[in-house]
Amino acid sequence: MKVTKLSGFPEYLPAERVVEQYFLDVIRETFELHGFTSLETRAVEPVDRLVGKGGDADKEIYAVSRLADRGEASGKEPELGLHFDLTVPFARFVLENAGKLTFPYRRYQIQKVWRGERPQEGRYREFTQADIDVVDVGELSSHFEAEMPLVIAEVFSKLPVGRMTIQVNNRKIPEGFYRGVGIDDVAGTLRIVDKLDKIGPAKVKTLLVEAGRTEEQADQCLALAAIRTEDLSFVDRVRELGVQHPTLDEGLEALSAVIQSGLDNAPGAMVADLKIARGLDYYTGTVYETQLDGYESWGSFCSGGRYDALASDGRTTYPGVGISIGVSRLLGLLIGKGLVTASRATPAAVLVAVVEEASRRDSAAVAKALRARGIPCEVAPTAAKFGKQIRYADRRGIPFVWFPGSGDVAHQVKDIRSGEQVDAGPASWAPPAEDLRPVVVAADQSP
């Protein structure tokens, strides 16, 4: 039967999977260094909850049903959909388990999500996200809004991805600014301004005017969105536009605190970028997007923000702030452009040769001893001539081949890259640290 590939569902070859796992390990370890605890939620949520929390997300939701129920509306169970992000299921989890959690609750979540959008470069229907969030009861301290980008800056400092710039804004700035110039439809204006990177200022202005804003209001919106600074000078530049509103003042103060935290703890990692809006309706405060320097046309790989009303049971509200790394999006472009590479496609550092099938147990014993000491290895699949076994190791990218000894014949291990072969003991020999595991580096730094 002919296999037809499904677009939008990435699957990695072995060397690419090594890269993905390395990225996920770095992300997870960094999140845990900052005290975030792991969470995994179910893949499905009631569709009415997904639709109610995601702006235009209803256009992207995959519905889930049993084949046996197709065409039959039982009316007993809610319609289910695959979650399109991890924030909505996280908020639901908090509501269901509030009495069992300790607040502020810090969690990280690394899972698959699904969106029914048109597949294209860096855009998938199924992909992995890595989120961190902090939620509290009733009120959430603003210092958490400054913490989120600092954690992300630390993650990216450990990954071979080049310089990443975290663009930060506060939704209260455009909200107060828009109201100050007489615009009442803040959410609609934000959604249009959020298209700036995709369609440019001229088309955004046209859309704003078509949506009922005056030419002067549209120009003011674009003037605000054009402000981008690496320090606190954005405050003066906003003031120069001559717009006054209390909400604008709150936003400028909050964003100043975040940018100052970046200047103090991760210089150069953050910029105040007042065009960042984020399309999802539930954001209420600081918002984030992240771009790879030199590849800005790829768009954002990491985004999020503060939300004050996403998790509420009608009596108690659990405000939160979070940020999400689009792992599959980032890797798809890095791998696709050949910007990162793995030193080998297998975790095995050693291939234990088999002298003859009758002595396979001896080779297995060597492998067991090496693994007990944390050295990844595999046993040769056949007792072929040693030259053929060495070629097998070379094709797999395994750097060392172990030749078992017997009686007075010592064990020997060969570095097949240099040809050096030395006596070795299963209880004492170890490969150089850089060969113990596959190494993932930027392509121009590959060994």
Side-chain angles (χ1 to χ4, degrees):
M1 181 178 70
K2 183 179 180 181
V3 176
T4 302
K5 185 174 181 179
L6 288 176
S7 61
F9 296 86
E11 295 177 323
Y12 294 119
L13 293 170
E16 298 167 344
R17 176 65 171 156
V18 168
V19 174
E20 182 190 36
Q21 287 185 305
Y22 174 79
F23 272 58
L24 292 175
D25 286 344
V26 169
I27 292 168
R28 175 184 55 79
E29 290 167 4
T30 305
F31 288 171
E32 291 183 355
L33 279 174
H34 287 263
F36 291 90
T37 58
S38 179
L39 171 68
E40 181 170 340
T41 57
R42 66 197 186 206
V44 297
E45 297 290 334
V47 168
D48 57 356
R49 179 169 182 80
L50 293 172
V51 171
K53 299 297 183 181
D56 294 331
D58 56 316
K59 300 175 183 178
E60 302 179 345
I61 296 170
Y62 278 112
V64 178
S65 63
R66 293 197 319 145
L67 289 177
D69 295 336
R70 184 173 291 176
E72 298 180 9
S74 66
K76 297 179 181 179
E77 297 289 339
E79 185 181 5
L80 300 178
L82 294 171
H83 54 228
F84 59 84
D85 74 355
L86 298 178
T87 305
V88 173
F90 171 60
R92 186 265 311 157
F93 177 86
V94 169
L95 290 176
E96 289 184 356
N97 297 279
K100 304 172 185 177
L101 299 174
T102 301
F103 293 94
Y105 175 41
R106 304 165 65 87
R107 85 84 172 83
Y108 77 87
Q109 198 166 343
I110 302 176
Q111 278 186 245
K112 298 281 190 182
V113 299
W114 295 267
R115 294 184 186 176
E117 58 184 356
R118 182 174 65 85
Q120 52 188 299
E121 186 179 47
R123 296 282 183 182
Y124 305 107
R125 290 169 169 163
E126 178 185 72
F127 52 100
T128 299
Q129 286 192 181
D131 287 22
I132 48 171
D133 285 81
V134 180
V135 296
D136 211 338
V137 181
E139 294 184 7
L140 179 74
S141 176
S142 61
H143 68 78
F144 291 116
E145 295 174 63
E147 181 183 1
M148 294 293 111
L150 293 178
V151 176
I152 296 303
E154 185 173 330
V155 168
F156 287 133
S157 72
K158 299 174 181 177
L159 294 173
V161 296
R163 186 172 184 267
M164 304 287 284
T165 300
I166 304 172
Q167 303 154 296
V168 190
N169 194 7
N170 190 292
R171 287 283 280 261
K172 292 182 179 180
I173 294 176
E175 178 184 348
F177 189 90
Y178 298 161
R179 294 193 187 284
V181 299
I183 296 174
D184 294 324
D185 183 9
V186 172
T189 305
L190 280 171
R191 278 195 289 271
I192 294 173
V193 173
D194 196 38
K195 302 177 187 291
L196 261 171
D197 283 338
K198 296 180 181 178
I199 64 176
K203 291 183 179 179
V204 165
K205 180 176 180 179
T206 299
L207 291 176
L208 287 170
V209 173
E210 289 176 351
R213 287 52 161 179
T214 67
E215 294 259 351
E216 183 180 357
Q217 287 173 333
D219 286 338
Q220 286 279 67
C221 292
L222 290 172
L224 179 71
I227 296 174
R228 175 186 170 108
T229 71
E230 295 183 357
D231 53 24
L232 301 181
S233 61
F234 70 91
V235 177
D236 291 335
R237 292 184 57 183
V238 173
R239 296 301 187 196
E240 290 169 0
L241 298 177
V243 177
Q244 300 291 329
H245 195 277
T247 303
L248 174 61
D249 296 338
E250 292 177 19
L252 290 172
E253 182 179 357
L255 183 58
S256 294
V258 175
I259 296 301
Q260 186 61 59
S261 178
L263 292 170
D264 292 341
N265 298 284
M270 282 184 235
V271 298
D273 192 332
L274 304 195
K275 74 175 180 296
I276 302 303
R278 302 298 303 139
L280 295 175
D281 292 341
Y282 52 66
Y283 292 121
T284 56
T286 305
V287 287
Y288 321 96
E289 289 191 354
T290 305
Q291 292 183 336
L292 177 61
D293 288 16
Y295 298 90
E296 288 80 5
S297 62
W298 288 1
S300 179
F301 299 103
C302 177
S303 56
R306 175 165 182 149
Y307 46 90
D308 284 294
L310 184 61
S312 176
D313 59 9
R315 300 184 306 275
T316 305
T317 298
Y318 302 87
V321 61
I323 194 164
S324 172
I325 303 173
V327 179
S328 297
R329 173 169 168 72
L330 176 60
L331 285 176
L333 292 168
L334 290 173
I335 293 173
K337 300 296 183 182
L339 298 181
V340 293
T341 185
S343 58
R344 60 181 188 259
T346 174
V350 182
L351 175 74
V352 182
V354 177
V355 178
E356 55 185 0
E357 286 301 332
S359 65
R360 179 173 289 276
R361 291 178 61 187
D362 297 335
S363 298
V366 171
K368 181 179 179 180
L370 293 174
R371 292 173 188 140
R373 297 173 47 239
I375 301 172
C377 60
E378 64 174 278
V379 178
T382 64
K385 292 181 178 180
F386 283 161
K388 188 173 182 179
Q389 294 188 54
I390 291 171
R391 288 193 294 273
Y392 170 82
D394 186 46
R395 289 195 303 271
R396 295 269 286 154
I398 301 173
F400 295 95
V401 175
W402 189 285
F403 301 104
S406 61
D408 295 333
V409 178
H411 294 274
Q412 289 194 323
V413 64
K414 180 173 185 170
D415 183 335
I416 64 173
R417 299 161 301 183
S418 66
E420 181 183 9
Q421 185 166 325
V422 297
D423 290 348
S428 59
W429 177 88
E434 62 270 20
D435 288 325
L436 185 61
R437 308 282 178 184
V439 177
V440 176
V441 296
D444 59 357
Q445 300 173 14
S446 57

